[in-house]
Amino acid sequence: LAKTTQPISMDSYEGQEVNITCSHNNIATNDYITWYQQFPSQGPRFIIQGYKTKVTNEVASLFIPADRKSSTLSLPRVSLSDTAVYYCLVGEDTMAGAGSYQLTFGKGTKLSVIP
Amino acid sequence: DTGVSQNPRHKITKRGQNVTFRCDPISEHNRLYWYRQTLGQGPEFLTYFQNEAQLEKSRLLSDRFSAERPKGSFSTLEIQRTEQGDSAMYLCASSPSGGLGDTQYFGPGTRLTVL
């Protein structure tokens, strides 16, 4: 089963770019890498997903090197409202051929944005 | 609002009582997932449905837990003879197809407190 390792916490000042790196040494060929954001007492919110190279959307960028054993979530110019827990996940196809896509969350990275 | 909805948002019960939670997924999403999250931890997978069929259950799901999705639309999660250890946030998510790279969208959760 693919597992992920990411820093427990990070601090950043408002307006800075924040990069959160996740290690997933045992990622499988078919696994996608997905990042979620979670605020207290809310469900996780999808941020971005990628398979390889670089993906960018309106809120973040995701950098994935060629070996796919790590990935970096980049948040440009963070604001106080970006204070949250960020989870890196890789898909687990637990039932080959049946398309199961069970998500396994770790403890995430608690990002604190400081004014 | 066309997102995933969950009811109730909060539930307080006494040990030994039965509780039932409801999840309404995003319209036309075939996949529906249940997760449980305790304080300071990431969500843990419990079970998922493809339309009305329950295809997988976590080993974490004891016999006191049962989930249904009778018409392939909304789902219910019932916990019988609740225990204090059942206190957690119960999250529901849905996705369009469940294929590789499929994105799960989470609801706001139901917070259960067992006294």
Side-chain angles (χ1 to χ4, degrees):
Chain A
L1 300 177
K3 292 186 178 179
T4 60
T5 303
Q6 52 183 122
I8 294 174
S9 64
M10 293 182 70
D11 294 335
S12 176
Y13 287 102
E14 263 191 304
Q16 291 189 330
E17 177 184 77
V18 171
N19 296 310
I20 306 175
T21 297
C22 177
S23 297
H24 27 79
N25 291 321
N26 297 324
I27 189 169
T29 303
N30 291 334
D31 284 342
Y32 279 71
I33 300 156
T34 310
W35 286 80
Y36 283 83
Q37 174 193 56
Q38 188 175 29
F39 299 111
S41 299
Q42 295 187 24
R45 183 175 76 101
F46 171 82
I47 301 175
I48 197 166
Q49 183 181 75
Y51 184 79
K52 61 180 179 180
T53 63
K54 176 184 175 182
V55 179
T56 297
N57 62 21
E58 62 275 11
V59 297
S61 294
L62 179 60
F63 299 92
I64 305 170
D67 65 7
R68 303 198 332 120
K69 293 186 176 182
S70 67
S71 59
T72 299
L73 174 72
S74 181
L75 304 172
R77 299 179 299 282
V78 293
S79 64
L80 296 177
S81 63
D82 293 316
T83 294
V85 177
Y86 292 83
Y87 295 99
C88 164
L89 299 99
V90 294
E92 296 182 357
D93 194 353
T94 58
M95 293 174 65
S100 170
Y101 203 89
Q102 174 191 132
L103 293 179
T104 298
F105 289 80
K107 292 188 177 183
T109 297
K110 185 175 182 180
L111 173 65
S112 298
V113 179
I114 306 164
Chain B
D1 188 347
T2 57
V4 177
S5 62
Q6 293 186 246
N7 288 288
R9 293 293 310 277
H10 303 274
K11 178 70 176 179
I12 300 174
T13 191
K14 293 183 179 180
R15 188 176 52 186
Q17 297 296 306
N18 299 344
V19 294
T20 300
F21 310 139
R22 176 177 170 128
C23 170
D24 287 90
I26 294 172
S27 179
E28 298 182 356
H29 274 193
N30 295 325
R31 288 287 178 112
L32 188 148
Y33 304 78
W34 284 99
Y35 293 83
R36 178 175 64 188
Q37 185 174 25
T38 54
L39 196 63
Q41 304 295 318
E44 296 175 294
F45 170 79
L46 293 178
T47 188
Y48 85 92
F49 293 83
Q50 171 78 28
N51 298 314
E52 66 275 9
Q54 187 174 14
L55 297 185
E56 189 169 351
K57 293 171 63 174
S58 167
R59 288 183 291 274
L60 298 174
L61 208 63
S62 78
D63 292 341
R64 297 184 297 106
F65 288 70
S66 62
E68 294 182 343
R69 195 183 182 196
K71 297 182 179 180
S73 56
F74 73 92
S75 175
T76 57
L77 177 68
E78 181 183 16
I79 308 174
Q80 295 182 327
R81 304 181 302 282
T82 53
E83 301 173 356
Q84 288 186 324
D86 297 331
S87 295
M89 175 79 85
Y90 290 84
L91 295 161
C92 174
S94 70
S95 68
S97 65
L100 295 173
D102 194 32
T103 300
Q104 294 182 27
Y105 297 90
F106 284 79
T110 295
R111 180 167 295 284
L112 172 66
T113 301
V114 181
L115 302 176

